[in-house]
Amino acid sequence: MKDALMPTLMQTVKRTPVLVHARPFAHIATGNSSVVANDMALQLVSAKQQAKGANATTSGFVVMEAGFGADIGMEKCFNIKCRASPDILQPCYVVIAATVRALKMHGGGPPVMAGRPLAPEYASEEQLDLVTAGCSNLARQIANAHKFGVRVVVAINQFKTDTPAELQAVQEEAVKAGAHAAVIANHWELGGQGAADLVQAVAEACETAVREGNQFCFLYDALVAIPRSRAYRPITLRGIQACVGAGFLYPICGNIMTMPGFSTRPGCYDVDLNLETGEVLGLF
C-alpha cells in the first residue's frame, strides 16, 4: 500500500508526462485522478515556468481527465474534487469530446448492440437530421459547463465514416450553443499532428481566461440546505452510507442498487500472450 500513495508516471507516444493515480470509474466513484497527481503536475509546470524566467509566456498546461462523460465525470470533478482542494484546483476550461456516431444515437438513431454490425446510419450513410437532433445533448453539456464559469472547447473525434457535412454541422451547433471553439480532431489517423488544431484552441481558451480572469465557481454552497419546493414528493430512504476516505455520504433511495467493489485479485494476472500465434489470452 505504501507504493500506492505515490502517482505512477507514464508518458504518451509524444513523450508528454502522464500522472495516473487513484482513478476509479465515475459510475461507481469520482471518475477522476487524485488531487495529489494534479498538484504534482501543477508544480512541474510551475517549475518549468520559473526556469524560463519571470517574463516567459505560459510554458505548459495541466489537463485533468474526468471520465464517463460531462454529465458524470466533469460534474463530479467540479462538485467533489475541486471543492475538496479549492486552493489547488481552479479549472479555466473544459474539453468536451463528441463524435458524430454518438450524436446520431442521441438524435434518435437505431440502437447499437454489442456483437452486432453497426446500422447503415452509423457505418455508411450521411444523416444530417440525426446529427443535428443529437446536438441538443451536446448543447446541454456545454450549458452545464458554463454554469461553473469555465470556457468550453468541443473536440470532435473524427471517424473515417464521418462526412464533411456532418462534421461541419457539429461545429456549427457547438458554436451556436456557446462553445469557445469546436475543433475536428483526427489524432486516431494522424497521431499528434491530427490534434494540433485542438491544442491551439485549448491554449487560446486558457490565455483568454488568464487575461480576463478565471471565473470558475461552484454551483451551490455545500452547507446550505435545499428548500422544499412545491413539487416535493416523499421518497423512501433506506439508509445512508459513508465513504470515509473520500469524505462524503450518500443516501440509498428506493430500490436503487450500488455497484459492488472490484476483486482483490487484479484481472491482469489472468491475461497472457501465446508467443507462437500472437493471440492474447484471458481477456474475456
Side-chain angles (χ1 to χ4, degrees), residues 1 32 41 74 88 92 94 111 123 135 159 183 190 198 220 222 226 232-233 235 242 255 263:
M1 288 299 295
N32 288 262
M74 180 192 75
I88 300 175
C92 61
V94 166
C135 282
F159 283 62
V183 184
L190 302 177
L198 174 60
Y220 57 89
I226 301 175
Y232 170 80
R233 291 189 306 161
I235 59 175
N255 295 323
S263 169

Side-chain angles (χ1 to χ4, degrees), residues 228-277:
R228 180 179 299 182
S229 68
R230 293 181 180 179
Y232 170 80
R233 291 189 306 161
I235 59 175
T236 301
L237 183 63
R238 293 194 287 118
I240 297 178
Q241 296 188 11
C243 293
V244 179
F248 59 85
L249 307 174
Y250 60 95
I252 305 297
C253 303
N255 295 323
I256 192 170
M257 296 185 296
T258 57
M259 195 169 188
F262 294 113
S263 169
T264 57
R265 184 175 186 276
C268 63
Y269 287 156
D270 299 321
V271 178
D272 202 353
L273 178 67
N274 187 321
L275 298 179
E276 295 182 359
T277 64

Side-chain angles (χ1 to χ4, degrees), residues 111-136:
V112 175
M113 305 296 291
R116 296 183 183 179
L118 287 173
E121 288 86 345
Y122 305 120
S124 58
E125 296 179 356
E126 181 176 88
Q127 295 283 340
L128 291 177
D129 290 342
L130 290 180
V131 173
T132 303
C135 282
S136 61

Side-chain angles (χ1 to χ4, degrees), residues 192-240:
Q193 187 60 38
D197 291 341
L198 174 60
V199 171
Q200 183 62 37
V202 170
E204 292 175 358
C206 289
E207 291 167 358
T208 301
V210 171
R211 290 195 304 268
E212 300 179 0
N214 193 349
Q215 302 297 318
F216 175 73
C217 61
F218 298 116
L219 294 187
Y220 57 89
D221 187 332
L223 300 180
V224 175
I226 301 175
R228 180 179 299 182
S229 68
R230 293 181 180 179
Y232 170 80
R233 291 189 306 161
I235 59 175
T236 301
L237 183 63
R238 293 194 287 118
I240 297 178

Side-chain angles (χ1 to χ4, degrees), residues 107-175:
V112 175
M113 305 296 291
R116 296 183 183 179
L118 287 173
E121 288 86 345
Y122 305 120
S124 58
E125 296 179 356
E126 181 176 88
Q127 295 283 340
L128 291 177
D129 290 342
L130 290 180
V131 173
T132 303
C135 282
S136 61
N137 183 286
L138 176 60
R140 172 58 65 182
Q141 305 309 328
I142 294 172
N144 289 344
H146 282 161
K147 293 178 182 179
F148 292 93
V150 296
R151 291 166 176 79
V152 176
V153 174
V154 175
I156 307 170
N157 288 339
Q158 184 176 357
F159 283 62
K160 63 180 181 180
T161 53
D162 299 341
T163 69
E166 290 173 335
L167 294 169
Q168 182 180 352
V170 178
Q171 286 181 295
E172 292 175 353
E173 292 296 323
V175 173

